[in-house]
Amino acid sequence: MRIEGDVSFSYEFNPMELAVDTHDVYKRLIEICELESTEEKSEEDVTRLEELRRIKGYIGGYELDYHIEGFDFVKFGERDEIQLLAFLSPIREQDRSRQLFGNGDVYSIFKYQFEDRGKEKGKFELKVHEIDDSGDEFVTEDYFYTLHPIVASIWEPYKIERVKKVLEDNPERELIDLS
């Protein structure tokens, strides 16, 4: 799979690294956008969001559980298709209910990685430094996440309309149009 920006970057993915059902990822992300737009989220909604973020992936024929850490919908050129950019990471035992990336962050990090370290292939590592000064003692901790970039073109008309509709209903998210 290959993704290219007008002049700024091009990146090639090795299909042996991580295989996922991109249609399933698309459906999950549409539902996540719909649930995100709900102002008052019930406990069921929060549980459903976490379920939607868990997905099966395959590396070298082995099935593994992954977590969708963040995603953006991007259009690189006027005649280009909408691209789905998502970061997945292997599920770890610790609490994963928080979202690592805000809206627009996935694209920014994706582009930064190309400019800064364009020769790396297949996965990135994210370091999250947390500080807790709420108690009697000051605690800091680093978490490292292995991120696998997923890129899928959304070219089917019904999928494009669904993306536009869900983005219209969710003012927190937008189609990043770089044309």
Side-chain angles (χ1 to χ4, degrees):
M1 187 179 300
R2 186 177 180 88
I3 180 170
E4 294 187 32
D6 293 335
V7 187
S8 56
F9 63 84
S10 103
Y11 188 78
E12 204 164 310
F13 295 90
N14 181 348
M16 292 299 293
E17 290 176 2
L18 175 63
V20 294
D21 179 348
T22 55
H23 181 69
D24 184 35
V25 172
Y26 160 82
K27 288 191 312 188
R28 288 168 180 267
L29 298 186
I30 292 293
E31 192 171 341
I32 287 170
C33 283
E34 289 169 348
L35 282 172
E36 280 178 344
S37 66
T38 308
E39 286 189 30
E40 294 290 324
K41 290 180 187 55
S42 68
E43 201 170 305
E44 291 172 356
D45 290 342
V46 173
T47 302
R48 180 65 183 147
L49 274 169
E50 186 54 29
E51 287 172 4
L52 288 169
R53 290 184 184 280
R54 292 176 177 263
I55 192 164
K56 299 282 183 201
Y58 301 88
I59 292 184
Y62 295 99
E63 182 180 89
L64 300 168
D65 292 323
Y66 284 85
H67 191 267
I68 298 170
E69 300 296 349
F71 63 94
D72 285 316
F73 296 101
V74 178
K75 190 171 181 181
F76 289 106
E78 200 173 294
R79 293 184 309 246
D80 292 340
E81 298 137 355
I82 295 172
Q83 301 279 336
L84 164 61
L85 303 181
F87 280 137
L88 277 60
S89 73
I91 289 182
R92 299 192 319 189
E93 295 306 312
Q94 64 208 46
D95 178 25
R96 300 298 298 262
S97 60
R98 71 177 191 275
Q99 187 178 338
L100 286 179
F101 299 102
N103 304 331
D105 287 350
V106 169
Y107 169 73
S108 298
I109 290 171
F110 210 72
K111 186 170 182 187
Y112 170 77
Q113 288 288 342
F114 289 124
E115 291 170 353
D116 192 43
R117 296 187 276 183
K119 294 182 180 170
E120 291 185 16
K121 303 284 183 202
K123 63 183 181 181
F124 306 126
E125 189 170 85
L126 175 69
K127 177 182 176 182
V128 177
H129 185 70
E130 291 189 353
I131 299 171
D132 182 6
D133 60 355
S134 60
D136 291 338
E137 65 181 82
F138 187 78
V139 179
T140 65
E141 194 163 350
D142 292 335
Y143 296 98
F144 293 90
Y145 296 93
T146 300
L147 301 174
H148 295 268
I150 300 299
V151 181
S153 292
I154 300 174
W155 56 270
E156 296 96 334
Y158 77 96
K159 284 187 177 181
I160 292 169
E161 289 308 311
R162 189 84 194 274
V163 167
K164 288 180 179 176
K165 171 78 172 104
V166 78
L167 292 175
E168 192 175 287
D169 294 344
N170 186 345
E172 296 296 312
R173 289 211 175 259
E174 63 180 300
L175 174 63
I176 300 170
D177 193 342
L178 304 170
S179 54

